Amino acid sequence: MARVVVDVMPKPEILDPQGQAVANALPRLGFEGITAVRQGKHFELEVADDVDDATLAKIAETFLANPVIEDWTVRRVEA
Amino acid sequence: MRVGVVTFPGTLDDVDAQRAVRYADGEAVPLWHGDRDLKGVDAVIVPGGFSYGDYLRCGAIARFAPVMQEVVEAANKGMPVLGICNGFQILAEAHLLPGALTRNHKLHFVCRDQWLKVENNSTAWTGRYDLNAEILVPLKSGEGGYQADQTTLDELEGEGRVVFRYVGDNPNGSRNNIAGITNARGNVVGLMPHPEHAIDALTGPTDDGLGMFLSLLDLVGAGSLQGVGIGTEVKA
């Protein structure tokens, strides 16, 4: 088994109102110096050894992310 | 005409959609998400709600339901398909319509009666409306912001495929104030507002939404069901 991490982020040109709301809250909470926040999703998959990279890419591209509005990355990490 | 109305776990507005079909003198046929079976219907409505709890993304899981495989196949052959609210999100996720619906720009769930302008009355679902008519129907959604890349937007605008546009303040940050769009063929329409909640002044703000269901039923007389170029034949 291996652990695979898929990160999904809104494309840079897509408005991210949730990230903006977080960014706007920080100064109110007394945290200064943070100029921008983007909010995305982080998936951790426990994956059998015979699942290849192409399959993982297909999972990310067709299901975990919507490529119309989101970019994704897949990486294998130490479990 | 037999009109299928899909129910997923978490669907809310299937009963109102069925009622709207009956108001237009159609026969409403319940369709279950887990069945690979359209029960011989002539058209399908994918109604609003929170299918699969909106988990992952709105419509992302519903898109893979067995019944949706049949809906996609039938739509690509020309069957009229209408997606309302969550149904629009599902049709976008299923790639029957371009673009995506995203979190409202001000983050608040919007629930209000909303004026829309009808900018295309040659789809399977809008033949009853005058071009540029303004209609008032409920809008109730938290992720109704229509997003697409500039090329797609230019294509939609250039081909007259924006069917409904918000009048007045943009309620959710949709690009170009887009409330609803159609595919190139005109048989698939998706919109965020709810025509099925505005079919009788007793229970809705107006009966302006009924025109969408009457438009569909008009296709029976026009003999253009399942056909290509539905819209050109459907002027009432």
Side-chain angles (χ1 to χ4, degrees):
Chain A
M1 296 289 283
R3 175 164 294 171
V4 170
V5 168
V6 181
D7 285 311
V8 175
M9 291 298 293
K11 285 180 185 285
E13 68 271 24
I14 297 287
L15 182 70
D16 174 20
Q18 295 181 102
Q20 286 179 352
V22 173
N24 293 339
L26 288 170
R28 288 202 303 275
L29 301 172
F31 299 106
E32 300 297 336
I34 290 106
T35 56
V37 176
R38 304 282 288 173
Q39 178 177 325
K41 298 186 183 109
H42 173 96
F43 300 87
E44 296 181 350
L45 287 62
E46 302 302 325
V47 175
D49 293 335
D50 59 349
V51 177
D52 62 14
D53 288 351
T55 302
L56 294 171
K58 191 175 179 194
I59 290 168
E61 171 88 15
T62 61
F63 187 47
L64 298 182
N66 179 348
V68 174
I69 49 171
E70 294 166 327
D71 294 324
W72 52 269
T73 58
V74 174
R75 64 181 198 276
R76 293 178 185 268
V77 298
E78 295 299 318
Chain B
M1 181 189 285
R2 288 163 52 80
V3 183
V5 178
V6 179
T7 300
F8 300 94
T11 296
L12 296 179
D13 298 324
D14 44 348
V15 174
D16 270 21
Q18 291 170 13
R19 172 171 172 262
V21 169
R22 290 194 298 272
Y23 261 57
D25 285 331
E27 179 189 348
V29 179
L31 300 177
W32 185 240
H33 69 103
D35 294 339
R36 273 200 82 123
D37 182 7
L38 296 185
K39 300 186 179 172
V41 297
D42 303 301
V44 170
I45 298 172
V46 186
F50 298 87
S51 59
Y52 300 95
D54 277 351
Y55 294 164
L56 186 59
R57 291 180 307 278
C58 305
I61 298 175
R63 169 224 170 165
F64 291 103
V67 75
M68 282 307 298
Q69 312 305 308
E70 300 298 311
V71 170
V72 169
E73 199 172 302
N76 285 331
K77 290 179 185 164
M79 178 183 280
V81 174
L82 174 65
I84 303 168
C85 195
N86 188 222
F88 183 16
Q89 295 164 337
I90 294 167
L91 297 186
E93 285 280 346
H95 308 306
L96 284 175
L97 293 169
L101 284 308
T102 61
R103 188 65 62 100
N104 293 350
H105 65 330
K106 291 176 183 166
L107 291 175
H108 294 288
F109 190 97
V110 171
C111 184
R112 70 189 198 194
D113 296 332
Q114 174 69 46
W115 285 100
L116 308 175
K117 192 172 176 189
V118 182
E119 297 199 2
N120 178 338
N121 65 353
S122 61
T123 78
W125 299 91
T126 53
R128 278 285 181 121
Y129 296 105
D130 291 331
L131 198 59
N132 297 323
E134 295 192 359
I135 65 173
L136 182 65
V137 301
L139 173 71
K140 46 165 193 158
S141 46
E143 305 200 21
Y146 183 76
Q147 295 286 338
D149 61 34
Q150 193 59 45
T151 309
T152 304
L153 282 178
D154 291 345
E155 193 177 296
L156 289 172
E157 297 286 357
E159 295 174 2
R161 288 166 53 195
V162 176
V163 180
F164 298 102
R165 213 182 296 270
Y166 297 115
V167 175
D169 288 346
N170 188 329
N172 48 30
S174 288
R175 294 197 70 184
N176 293 18
N177 292 301
I178 288 173
I181 58 173
T182 186
N183 63 346
R185 199 170 183 171
N187 62 308
V188 180
V189 169
L191 75 167
M192 287 310 298
H194 288 266
E196 83 282 17
H197 293 332
I199 60 167
D200 185 328
L202 181 68
T203 52
T206 62
D207 63 0
D208 291 352
L210 186 59
M212 293 199 73
F213 307 93
L214 293 171
S215 299
L216 176 72
L217 271 291
D218 285 345
L219 299 179
V220 177
S224 57
L225 262 182
Q226 311 277 336
V228 181
I230 283 167
T232 54
E233 303 167 40
V234 183
K235 294 286 154 43

